[in-house]
Every structure is written in C-alpha cells, then in structure tokens.
C-alpha cells in the first residue's frame, strides 16, 4: 500500500504540472481534462481503488489517441525541440507529437493500476 501512495502521489504532482502547462495550448479544455482524468485515477490508486472497466477504457483510449496523433518522425520532432531551446510550439507536428507522448505517459504511469485491476 505504501508503494501506491508514493508512486501515484508522484504522478498526481506530475499530471498537475502537465495540466497547468496546457493552459497556453491551442486546445486546453481537451488536454487539461485528459490530465485531470489521469489525476483522478491516480487519486484512486493512492486509496488502493482500481476500477477494472474504467481503467481498461482509459488504456484503450490512450493507445488509440497516440495512434491518431502519431507523426511517424520522432527523430525529426526531437531534433526540432533541441534546436529551438525552449518549449514553445513552432509547428502543428510538434504539438501532435507532444500529445502522442502525453497519452503514452498516462498509459505507462497508470500501468500498475491497470495491472492490479486485472489481477483481482
């Protein structure tokens, strides 16, 4: 149980930062909501509650969303990010690449919760 509190507590903080940074995004209502949902599932994880169906739906949605936003040129996106030396969005491709990885981060962060939900 201590693992749950520490692990999911850290992710609550990280997802809160992600949500905060989305306020200057072109579509903040979508991404603040997505990170808000991740925070809710992390809060449940802190309490040891792992709802199987909602977590499964979230996992599937993250995978489908990542596929939808996938740009295919990850190396190009990373080199663009390195060249500009800041986190401002310069192209739509950069924005969609970031969104892809945001969804994959949610999936990875909630994997222990999904595992525990299906373990029961």
């Amino acid at each position: 149980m201590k693992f749950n509190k520490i692990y999911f507590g850290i992710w609550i903080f990280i997802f809160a930062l992600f949500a905060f940074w989305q306020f200057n995004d072109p579509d903040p209502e979508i991404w603040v909501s997505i990170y808000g949902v991740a925070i809710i599932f992390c809060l449940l994880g802190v309490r040891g509650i792992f709802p199987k169906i909602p977590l499964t739906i979230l996992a599937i949605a993250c995978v489908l969303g990542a596929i939808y936003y996938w740009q295919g040129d990850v190396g190009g996106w990373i080199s663009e990010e390195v060249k500009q030396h800041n986190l401002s969005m310069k192209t739509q491709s950069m924005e969609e690449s970031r969104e892809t990885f945001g969804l994959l981060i949610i999936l990875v962060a909630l994997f222990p919760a999904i595992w525990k939900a299906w373990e029961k």
Side-chain angles (χ1 to χ4, degrees):
M1 190 68 159
K2 188 174 182 180
F3 169 80
N4 291 345
K5 288 183 180 186
I6 294 170
Y7 179 82
F8 291 113
I10 290 168
W11 280 109
I12 289 168
F13 177 73
I14 292 170
F15 288 139
L17 285 175
F18 286 3
F20 175 75
W21 289 325
Q22 293 304 312
F23 282 110
N24 68 352
D25 200 64
D27 48 2
E29 58 282 342
I30 294 171
W31 291 97
V32 171
S33 299
I34 289 171
Y35 289 122
V37 168
I39 290 169
I40 290 168
F41 280 107
C42 287
L43 287 168
L44 291 172
V46 166
R47 304 225 25 206
I49 301 169
F50 306 104
K52 185 187 292 188
I53 301 300
L55 280 167
T56 303
I57 291 170
L58 179 65
I60 292 168
C62 284
V63 169
L64 292 176
I67 291 169
Y68 176 77
Y69 285 114
W70 182 258
Q71 291 298 305
D73 185 21
V74 176
W77 166 62
I78 292 171
S79 66
E80 285 179 25
E81 295 281 358
V82 171
K83 281 183 206 173
Q84 74 178 14
H85 300 293
N86 64 31
L87 292 176
S88 65
M89 182 187 74
K90 303 289 188 213
T91 66
Q92 185 64 26
S93 170
M94 290 173 77
E95 176 67 12
E96 290 176 358
S97 295
R98 291 176 183 176
E99 290 169 348
T100 296
F101 283 96
L103 291 169
L104 292 176
I105 290 169
I106 291 170
L107 182 63
V108 168
L110 291 176
F111 184 77
I114 297 164
W115 183 270
K116 287 178 189 256
W118 280 93
E119 188 175 62
K120 294 180 180 180

